[in-house]
Amino acid sequence: MKPLLLLLLTTTVSTAAYAQQAVLKGKVLDEQGRPVPFANVGPPGAEPGTATNEAGEFSLRVSKLPQKLAVVSLGYTTALLEVTSAAPVTVTLKASAVALPEVKVRNPDQLAAALVRRAYAKLARHQQEEEFGKAFYRQKQAHNGRYTEFVDAFYDVRFTGQGVSGWQLEQARYGSAQEDTGVEMTNFSAALRLIPVFDPKPSRRTLAVPLSPGSERIFAFQLREILESPGQETAVIDFSRRPGVDIFVPEGTLYIDRQTAALRRIEATVPIDHLMTLQLRQGTTLDAQTMRMTTDFAPHRDSLSRVQAIRAEQQIVLRYQNRPDTTTLNGNLFFYRYTARPAGKGYKTTGASYNDLKQARKKPYDAGFWHNREILRASPAEERVIRDLEQRKAFGAF
């Protein structure tokens, strides 16, 4: 049986500090009217701001109106607009032009391999440089189509070009429903923290990644297309395991700036069944499990880039009493502010044994902290999370 946890929701009134601010809400669509999820919305050239949810919706607190906004999403031309009121806005993004590799370059796959080498070399040169920021993490879990767990957490994060190296929990809230079957994950964020962007010292004991020295012996790189936007070209490079390679590796796509070799995105299907072990009770077997990860990067100084968001989805299909039993987990870590190193702040190392739920339960719940703290707007799917948990009496009441 899983423990019954409480999600406390605040009813504190707005403070004077928020009285001068405005909350902008809206939706980002493509030219066919379809939602654009995970687009970045914020003041141009400033902090990340916020991101759209799965339904393309966003909510952003600004200090004053009018306010200039930039809406950025890989594969689309950046939209710039000025918002003069708090009325909901709809932003339509135009798709970037796509150039086929055989038209754009003479040797597409040679260009792909060269860009991967340049991207790795750039990351390796700056691997000792630490960055700091504030991030919001949202996790939800569904069991056989019904949501059973929901977590929101704010962290102060220390990170490098390889990924998250440490963090300090600021506040968390969570809810859970009792389940007799399924999978209980106490450290799902480990996938977001422990699978590196690049690896300067690869070995057979660690997961091979395409951004590493000698990766061409393990991975085949193919230039799929080039995305063209004003002043920028992004090479879309698919990577896969070479024939004859006898180790399990991720497969997916790299998005690399053609001129600067700055990394813009990694999409990967991870061989998670070879990285984790499930403890199954008697009579339960594992049918299948999959994990997909996406890491987005924001432009940084000297034509570099730094982590902006990490998303992961894992599906585990068990067989219990000869029936499929499916658990789906989604995690989204989003940096909403980059900072200098805070004086006197310690960062807990986030190794494989770090237990998200255990750490969250150590913190006393601060209702006032959560008032007007919506970094990522709850989507219709996440509203369903809350509704499902309420129906199952997983949330407490005042």
Side-chain angles (χ1 to χ4, degrees):
M1 299 290 284
K2 295 184 181 179
L4 184 65
L5 308 178
L6 300 179
L7 175 64
L8 302 177
L9 302 177
T10 180
T11 57
T12 309
V13 298
S14 297
T15 64
Y18 287 112
Q20 304 301 318
Q21 299 181 347
V23 177
L24 305 180
K25 294 187 177 183
K27 179 173 281 193
V28 179
L29 307 174
D30 65 13
E31 293 173 287
Q32 284 71 47
R34 297 172 299 199
V36 178
F38 310 118
N40 213 65
V41 183
E47 295 295 343
T50 189
T52 57
N53 59 26
E54 294 98 326
E57 303 166 331
F58 69 89
S59 176
L60 176 67
R61 186 174 296 278
V62 297
S63 59
K64 62 180 181 179
L65 291 174
Q67 175 68 58
K68 292 183 179 179
L69 293 180
V71 182
V72 182
S73 184
L74 193 59
Y76 298 91
T77 299
T78 298
L80 299 173
L81 65 152
E82 185 174 60
V83 180
T84 58
S85 74
V89 297
T90 298
V91 182
T92 300
L93 296 183
K94 295 182 179 179
S96 299
V98 176
L100 298 178
E102 58 268 23
V103 175
K104 194 70 178 178
V105 296
R106 180 174 296 178
N107 297 303
D109 293 348
Q110 288 183 16
L111 173 65
L115 276 174
V116 172
R117 289 194 297 270
R118 287 177 58 199
Y120 165 72
K122 175 170 286 194
L123 291 165
R125 283 197 301 271
H126 298 271
Q127 63 181 295
Q128 301 300 326
E129 297 179 8
E130 289 187 328
E131 300 278 352
F132 300 87
K134 290 184 172 291
F136 176 73
Y137 177 65
R138 173 167 288 162
Q139 176 180 316
K140 51 185 182 282
Q141 177 173 319
H143 179 226
N144 292 331
R146 296 190 66 184
Y147 284 99
T148 55
E149 291 185 8
F150 186 70
V151 179
D152 279 347
F154 283 86
Y155 290 98
D156 290 298
V157 184
R158 180 185 66 211
F159 63 101
T160 66
Q162 286 183 277
V164 174
S165 58
W167 64 19
Q168 185 70 35
L169 177 66
E170 192 173 6
Q171 274 287 322
R173 60 182 182 181
Y174 49 86
S176 176
Q178 293 179 331
E179 291 288 308
D180 292 325
T181 62
V183 178
E184 183 176 19
M185 296 285 285
T186 59
N187 62 342
F188 179 64
S189 74
L192 284 70
R193 295 180 278 105
L194 299 179
I195 296 178
V197 171
F198 72 97
D199 187 355
K201 296 180 179 179
S203 75
R204 293 185 68 88
R205 295 190 302 272
T206 59
L207 179 69
V209 294
L211 293 168
S212 60
S215 62
E216 291 170 72
R217 296 191 298 269
I218 299 173
F219 295 93
F221 299 106
Q222 182 176 15
L223 180 64
R224 186 202 309 170
E225 59 192 19
I226 295 176
L227 303 177
E228 298 180 326
S229 297
Q232 187 174 56
E233 292 185 338
T234 301
V236 182
I237 301 170
D238 294 325
F239 60 91
S240 58
R241 182 174 60 176
R242 282 193 177 279
V245 172
D246 61 351
I247 60 175
F248 295 95
V249 301
E251 298 189 343
T253 306
L254 298 168
Y255 296 76
I256 302 175
D257 187 289
R258 186 182 174 189
Q259 281 71 41
T260 68
L263 188 60
R264 301 196 65 197
R265 175 181 286 174
I266 304 174
E267 299 170 345
T269 298
V270 180
I272 192 63
D273 49 335
H274 297 279
L275 299 178
M276 64 177 289
T277 301
L278 296 176
Q279 295 181 347
L280 304 178
R281 69 181 184 180
Q282 188 174 4
T284 303
T285 58
L286 175 64
D287 272 8
Q289 62 173 324
T290 58
M291 173 174 278
R292 294 187 296 273
M293 288 187 64
T294 299
T295 305
D296 286 324
F297 299 83
H300 191 28
R301 57 176 175 79
D302 300 329
S303 72
L304 297 172
S305 60
R306 56 184 171 185
V307 174
Q308 181 175 338
I310 310 173
R311 300 182 295 277
E313 177 180 316
Q314 182 177 0
Q315 185 176 82
I316 302 170
V317 181
L318 305 178
R319 185 158 294 275
Y320 178 67
Q321 294 182 347
N322 206 31
R323 291 178 299 184
D325 189 272
T326 303
T327 299
T328 304
L329 302 103
N330 292 271
N332 186 355
L333 181 71
F334 177 77
F335 284 84
Y336 63 93
R337 187 185 308 157
Y338 298 114
T339 66
R341 178 168 190 156
K345 183 179 287 294
Y347 289 86
K348 189 175 184 65
T349 301
T350 54
S353 61
Y354 182 91
N355 186 311
D356 297 317
L357 184 55
K358 182 178 179 180
Q359 296 301 319
R361 295 180 72 178
K362 286 182 179 180
K363 281 276 188 179
Y365 182 80
D366 181 359
F369 176 90
W370 290 94
H371 188 65
N372 291 316
R373 279 279 182 163
E374 187 176 55
I375 298 298
L376 298 178
R377 182 175 175 182
S379 69
E382 286 153 353
E383 290 172 357
R384 181 188 163 201
V385 174
I386 297 172
R387 189 166 59 248
D388 279 357
L389 293 174
E390 285 176 341
Q391 290 173 356
R392 305 174 78 167
K393 299 181 180 180
F395 290 168
F398 288 102

